Amino acid sequence: KAGVTQTPRYLIKTRGQQVTLSCSPISGHRSVSWYQQTPGQGLQFLFEYFSETQRNKGNFPGRFSGRQFSNSRSEMNVSTLELGDSALYLCASSFFVAGDYNEQFFGPGTRLTVL
Amino acid sequence: QKEVEQNSGPLSVPEGAIASLNCTYSDRGSQSFFWYRQYSGKSPELIMSIYSNGDKEDGRFTAQLNKASQYVSLLIRDSQPSDSATYLCAVNAVVGGAQKLVFGQGTRLTINP
């Protein structure tokens, strides 16, 4: 079974630009979560989507947004990029069922550099 | 207090020895706990999940959970140089049906040949 895929793998942008990252979950997985990883803050939760609905959102400014499509693929968008947005953006998918026992599997990530 | 705490290390262990990684968490209602391994420049890879008190073994890896003490650990037996990586402890926080993983800062492990 194919794993989680993310595109693009690397991006270089300048301050003020916007960027869109894409994630395709493992086949059959309907929950997609996004995380930001930086050396200083570690792995931070951005948001989670399930059945095209954002169910949970982390403590990030409104410049960070996302969406999920009917095939469970997800995109996240960052507008008005700042230097501090340079990070590894990770997507994780899970076969979510009601309850608390859901393993999340990560994609390879998108390395975003803001100049 | 951080929600999930790990000793950042680095932790250095000789090849063939047992590596012991520890994690504490603050939310007493947490039910799901995970260990991820992350090699430098790569994404986290799930290596163990544990939901009940006690030990769970998978090959050279053993996860231990003590909910009363809010403590999770990972033991790696017969450590190999390929085990050198950062190990991330994660706790699944479920609120109103929505889930998110809360991660510790990670422990950097080095296995010395």
Side-chain angles (χ1 to χ4, degrees), chain A residues 31 35 37 40-43 45 48 55-56 88 90 94 96 99-108, chain B residues 29-32 34 36 38 41-44 46 49 51 88 92-94 97-101 103 105:
Chain A
S31 171
Y35 297 84
Q37 187 174 33
Q41 298 298 315
L43 266 160
F45 171 78
E48 186 224 2
R55 299 196 301 180
N56 201 358
L88 180 66
L90 292 157
S94 70
F96 186 84
D100 200 5
Y101 311 107
N102 297 284
E103 296 176 335
Q104 294 190 27
F105 299 90
F106 284 88
Chain B
S30 299
Q31 298 292 328
S32 307
F34 307 92
Y36 286 84
Q38 186 172 25
K42 301 294 185 181
S43 63
L46 179 66
S49 57
Y51 312 119
L88 298 160
N92 199 23
V94 178
Q99 62 172 345
K100 70 174 185 178
L101 287 177
F103 285 86
Q105 285 293 99

Side-chain angles (χ1 to χ4, degrees), chain B residues 24-95:
Chain B
T24 58
Y25 59 94
S26 61
D27 184 356
R28 189 169 286 278
S30 299
Q31 298 292 328
S32 307
F33 308 87
F34 307 92
W35 284 99
Y36 286 84
R37 177 177 63 198
Q38 186 172 25
Y39 292 114
S40 180
K42 301 294 185 181
S43 63
E45 173 192 9
L46 179 66
I47 55 172
M48 289 290 284
S49 57
I50 187 166
Y51 312 119
S52 304
N53 280 329
D55 295 358
K56 178 182 178 183
E57 187 174 317
D58 184 0
R60 296 186 296 111
F61 298 97
T62 298
Q64 299 174 317
L65 173 61
N66 183 326
K67 291 184 180 179
S69 300
Q70 296 173 243
Y71 177 90
V72 189
S73 67
L74 179 71
L75 301 177
I76 307 174
R77 292 183 302 280
D78 188 24
S79 297
Q80 303 296 310
S82 59
D83 295 326
S84 297
T86 296
Y87 289 80
L88 298 160
C89 173
V91 177
N92 199 23
V94 178
V95 178

Side-chain angles (χ1 to χ4, degrees), chain A residues 11-37:
Chain A
L11 266 179
I12 299 176
K13 293 286 187 179
T14 57
R15 280 181 298 174
Q17 287 187 310
Q18 76 166 19
V19 67
T20 299
L21 312 180
S22 180
C23 170
S24 292
I26 293 170
S27 178
H29 285 194
R30 295 171 62 193
S31 171
V32 174
S33 299
W34 289 88
Y35 297 84
Q36 180 196 65
Q37 187 174 33

